[in-house]
């Protein structure tokens, strides 16, 4: 009897997951420059600081890196 209740609860949970709408991944806006995907170790505090700045934290990090290298001054 317990097994049947567990099975039904599991089946209900699986059905809920299957019926949940999938999140649409947002693609990063393409800049005019070429982009390279990179794996990089960054301090947790630095990531937390950028994430606290809002949903576009990756863009802000990119801008900070460009500013640090003076690449934007050549445009």
């Amino acid at each position: 009897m317990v097994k049947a209740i567990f099975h039904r609860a599991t089946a209900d949970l699986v059905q809920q997951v299957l019926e949940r709408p999938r999140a649409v991944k947002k693609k990063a806006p393409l800049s005019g420059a070429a982009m390279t995907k990179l794996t990089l170790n960054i301090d947790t505090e630095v990531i937390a600081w950028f994430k606290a700045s809002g949903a576009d934290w990756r863009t802000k990090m990119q801008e900070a890196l460009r500013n640090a290298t003076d690449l934007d001054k050549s445009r």
Side-chain angles (χ1 to χ4, degrees):
M1 174 86 68
V2 174
K3 187 175 184 179
I5 293 171
F6 177 75
H7 177 63
R8 188 179 76 214
T10 303
D12 291 344
L13 180 60
V14 170
Q15 190 62 36
Q16 288 175 7
V17 169
L18 292 174
E19 291 174 355
R20 186 179 326 153
R22 291 182 175 238
V24 176
K25 284 189 173 183
K26 294 181 182 178
K27 292 186 178 180
L30 297 175
S31 66
M35 302 287 276
T36 301
K37 191 164 190 148
L38 172 70
T39 301
L40 181 67
N41 293 327
I42 299 177
D43 292 337
T44 304
E45 296 90 10
V46 173
I47 299 296
W49 187 87
F50 276 101
K51 283 184 175 182
S53 71
D56 59 342
W57 66 272
R58 288 176 181 89
T59 303
K60 292 176 182 175
M61 184 179 279
Q62 171 75 6
E63 289 171 1
L65 289 168
R66 289 189 70 80
N67 289 337
T69 59
D70 293 331
L71 287 173
D72 284 335
K73 293 179 182 173
S74 65
R75 286 184 173 186

